[in-house]
Amino acid sequence: MTDTTIDQPVAKAPATPAALLWTIVAGSVATVASAFLAWTWTTAFPGNLTIYGNPAPLQLLTLVGAVLTGLYALSALGIKGLGWLTPTGARKPLWIVALGTFATTLFTAISIIVELGALVDLEPGAGFAVIAAAVPAIAAYKLPDDTRKAAPAKQLPSWAEVLIIVAVFALGLFVVTFGIDTDDSEPQLFIAYLILVAFSVTALVKSGITARLSQITARNRQVTITASLVMAIAFPFIQQSGDTYTLIAVNILIFATVALGLNIVVGLAGLLDLGYVAFLGVGAYTAALVSGATSSAFGVQFPFWAAALTGMAASLVFGVVIGAPTLRLRGDYLAIVTLGFGEIFRIAMGNLDGTSGPQITNGPNGIPNIPQLEFFGYNFGEPHTVLGITLGAYANYYLLMILIMALVVVVFSRAGNSRIGRAWVAIREDETAATAMGINGFRVKLVAFALGAALAGLAGTVQAHVNTTVVPENYVFAGPVPPNSAFLLAAVILGGMGTISGPIVGSALLFLIPAKLSFLQDYQLLGFGIALILLMRFRPEGLIANKRAQLEFHENDDEAGVPEQRQSAEADADATSGAGAAKAGA
């Protein structure tokens, strides 16, 4: 009898992590090479992607993403000198940045087909780029999870930490400037830029680099503050398009200043104010009436410092007058009353036209022809040459808003860390318990309401001069053009309540995206609604989280940080809760 054997198929051994990582490196190199090829044959597509050897801006985004992917892969392979890229593991950040590179490349290819109308409008270089970018994304997805606790970072010399801070801020300035300077006629470039930046920043967070950078900046606080100011001041000096996009930056700063004021009311004190934009309008109308506008009912012209103080004082008074009877309410009732105040303000400004009411605001026509600011003989409406560089009118207002923003940040930080700030947090967490510990809840909330209103009024005085006109339609609850109450509240929630940088980042995103993607104007509210829903699902504490909020929302997982970081966060949170409330009530 003859033995017979049946050949069994031999199972292929799974690819080793090293093989997958070298595949990712090869795919990244191929993707970099594809950026130097032509992706379409015609210059009809914005950006001119027809030139060999000279990547267009859209191709540069793919190139940058591929370089980042390759660096993360080399770090995971243990290449000497790159281990700092992945302190908490390489798989997650590597897959995220590879996926972002693929998404950016695929979006560009699809845009070419949609814009030009046919698949044949793609050159072979575009197809090669899509395939090359897909290889690292697929290979990174198959890598085993290597998430780990970050090892203690080596203490660097002070000069090295200073250089790191300077380099990070310089890179940040370049990235922000690139986004703002994108041509409005090329929305594809800005969308691709958003895709790559979003994935890259997420990868940096997941890799643990941002946590280590936070430790470095905390040890060098003065250097960090100086670097941030220098970066902000340098922005108008490096604008390639003159004053074209500086106006966007000015409006972002105005929006962010008002959002910081609202953050005192909502983020620190926990008061839901849906009519906050009215305080911005009070400051703007006050400045317009006292700054020598031709249609002003008062016929006076204050210097800027006096007009700014008058606008702040008027907003503060309105904050006290509105807050005194309404702050005894809580929750939804307070929100409804403040929403009503915002609408009453807008309607009242439209009726003070000499027919329906006294002739003060010129009714729906508003107050036009507001003169440009002039401060110590420096006319903000005229170009000036500084260090051999010509700065336009909006650059002047931008630098002024930098100073005002710095003032508002100081006020916010000092107030938040003071006894009254601890009382605000105690009221936000549990008003009944805070009152039982001796805090006068009504007085504390009224101070928050008045201070937030004053900061909004200060921003309004500058807004009136930047726009040179003030009309009631600028101060609605929700509309297509920020700032309005809905967008201000969204900026605070999106950025992170109770933080300084959170509302600034939220304001920049909520103003910049509509400004650059004007063709989506009819769908803005839908888009932001979807964004807020996703944010509440995946990152309810906001993009830049307050430590207490991070602990509360991630109590049962490790996303809030490693144990040492959680203990530090818990200690900081305790300082603003039980013990902090006792100090506030003392």
Side-chain angles (χ1 to χ4, degrees):
M1 186 173 180
T2 305
D3 293 335
T4 59
T5 59
I6 301 175
D7 294 334
Q8 298 291 336
V10 180
K12 294 183 178 179
T16 63
L20 290 173
L21 289 171
W22 282 117
T23 302
I24 294 171
V25 172
S28 300
V29 172
T31 306
V32 170
S34 71
F36 293 87
L37 304 176
W39 288 11
T40 183
W41 59 272
T42 173
T43 58
F45 185 78
N48 191 7
L49 279 65
T50 64
I51 304 175
Y52 284 85
N54 186 18
L58 275 168
Q59 295 168 310
L60 282 175
L61 293 177
T62 294
L63 187 151
V64 170
V67 170
L68 288 175
T69 303
L71 289 175
Y72 272 117
L74 292 174
S75 175
L77 283 167
I79 301 300
K80 188 175 181 180
L82 294 177
W84 58 272
L85 278 171
T86 55
T88 60
R91 193 267 177 184
K92 286 184 179 179
L94 179 54
W95 180 65
I96 291 172
V97 76
L99 184 61
T101 305
F102 172 68
T104 303
T105 308
L106 182 63
F107 169 79
T108 303
I110 293 175
S111 298
I112 294 173
I113 297 172
V114 173
E115 181 77 15
L116 302 181
L119 182 63
V120 295
D121 291 310
L122 291 176
E123 284 285 292
F128 177 66
V130 172
I131 296 173
V135 170
I138 296 172
Y141 179 76
K142 292 182 174 296
L143 284 171
D145 190 3
D146 62 347
T147 303
R148 59 183 180 271
K149 176 183 174 181
K154 295 181 180 180
Q155 187 73 30
L156 298 175
S158 298
W159 62 267
E161 292 188 343
V162 171
L163 287 179
I164 290 174
I165 292 172
V166 172
V168 168
F169 275 99
L171 179 62
L173 176 61
F174 173 79
V175 172
V176 171
T177 303
F178 182 90
I180 293 180
D181 281 352
T182 54
D183 194 343
D184 290 348
S185 63
E186 301 180 21
Q188 299 90 346
L189 176 58
F190 184 72
I191 295 175
Y193 162 83
L194 287 179
I195 294 173
L196 184 62
V197 169
F199 278 93
S200 299
V201 171
T202 304
L204 290 175
V205 173
K206 293 294 184 181
S207 67
I209 292 180
T210 54
R212 290 196 169 176
L213 286 176
S214 298
Q215 296 173 2
I216 293 175
T217 56
R219 289 195 296 265
N220 301 270
R221 185 176 179 83
Q222 298 300 326
V223 175
T224 302
I225 294 174
T226 303
S228 61
L229 284 175
V230 171
M231 180 195 73
I233 293 173
F235 173 78
F237 292 91
I238 61 175
Q239 285 291 290
Q240 300 298 322
S241 52
D243 220 26
T244 303
Y245 297 113
T246 310
L247 176 59
I248 295 178
V250 175
N251 285 317
I252 288 175
L253 290 178
I254 294 174
F255 192 5
T257 302
V258 182
L260 275 174
L262 179 61
N263 198 24
I264 293 177
V265 179
V266 177
L268 293 181
L271 306 173
L272 184 56
D273 188 350
L274 298 183
Y276 187 75
V277 75
F279 298 121
L280 176 70
V282 171
Y285 266 101
T286 302
L289 290 171
V290 300
S291 295
T294 55
S295 56
S296 171
F298 298 152
V300 296
Q301 185 169 2
F302 289 179
F304 168 66
W305 63 268
L309 291 177
T310 304
M312 287 183 64
S315 295
L316 188 148
V317 169
F318 268 84
V320 173
V321 170
I322 299 302
T326 60
L327 288 178
R328 300 185 187 279
L329 303 173
R330 297 187 188 182
D332 297 340
Y333 299 100
L334 176 62
I336 293 172
V337 171
T338 54
L339 174 61
F341 163 66
E343 290 301 299
I344 289 172
F345 170 79
R346 179 181 61 82
I347 295 172
M349 294 301 101
N351 287 334
L352 298 179
D353 57 356
T355 301
S356 302
Q359 174 58 276
I360 298 178
T361 64
N362 204 26
N365 295 324
I367 303 176
N369 302 321
I370 300 172
Q372 300 289 342
L373 285 180
E374 188 167 343
F375 198 53
F376 292 114
Y378 187 93
N379 192 318
F380 283 70
E382 298 176 355
H384 297 274
T385 301
V386 180
L387 301 177
I389 300 175
T390 301
L391 298 179
Y394 294 131
N396 299 325
Y397 284 107
Y398 171 86
L399 295 175
L400 174 63
M401 281 306 305
I402 288 293
L403 295 177
I404 293 177
M405 172 68 76
L407 173 64
V408 172
V409 167
V410 170
V411 171
F412 183 92
S413 61
R414 295 296 183 185
N417 294 324
S418 66
R419 189 179 75 171
I420 190 70
R422 293 193 295 270
W424 287 336
V425 174
I427 290 291
R428 181 192 68 194
E429 295 300 319
D430 192 329
E431 184 173 353
T432 302
T435 304
M437 299 181 74
I439 296 176
N440 188 328
F442 172 74
R443 183 180 64 185
V444 166
K445 291 190 291 185
L446 187 60
V447 171
F449 213 72
L451 180 59
L455 296 180
L458 176 61
T461 61
V462 180
Q463 186 197 43
H465 291 279
V466 171
N467 296 339
T468 67
T469 184
V470 179
V471 293
E473 285 72 21
N474 288 343
Y475 310 102
V476 297
F477 169 71
V481 180
N484 52 62
S485 292
F487 275 58
L488 287 169
L489 188 60
V492 174
I493 297 174
L494 173 68
M497 294 191 296
T499 64
I500 293 177
S501 52
I504 297 175
V505 172
S507 301
L509 291 175
L510 291 184
F511 193 95
L512 183 61
I513 293 175
K516 304 298 292 186
L517 303 178
S518 56
F519 68 96
L520 295 176
Q521 187 171 8
D522 294 338
Y523 304 97
Q524 286 180 17
L525 293 179
L526 174 62
F528 291 134
I530 295 173
L532 287 176
I533 291 173
L534 294 175
L535 187 75
M536 287 187 289
R537 170 60 183 85
F538 296 105
R539 195 170 175 84
E541 69 272 24
L543 296 178
I544 301 178
N546 176 271
K547 290 182 178 179
R548 166 178 286 279
Q550 204 168 25
L551 286 171
E552 291 177 352
F553 286 112
H554 300 284
E555 184 177 0
N556 297 322
D557 57 41
D558 295 330
E559 190 174 337
V562 295
E564 291 82 357
Q565 294 172 327
R566 289 183 60 84
Q567 292 173 5
S568 174
E570 288 169 356
D572 292 341
D574 288 341
T576 56
S577 57
K583 293 178 182 179

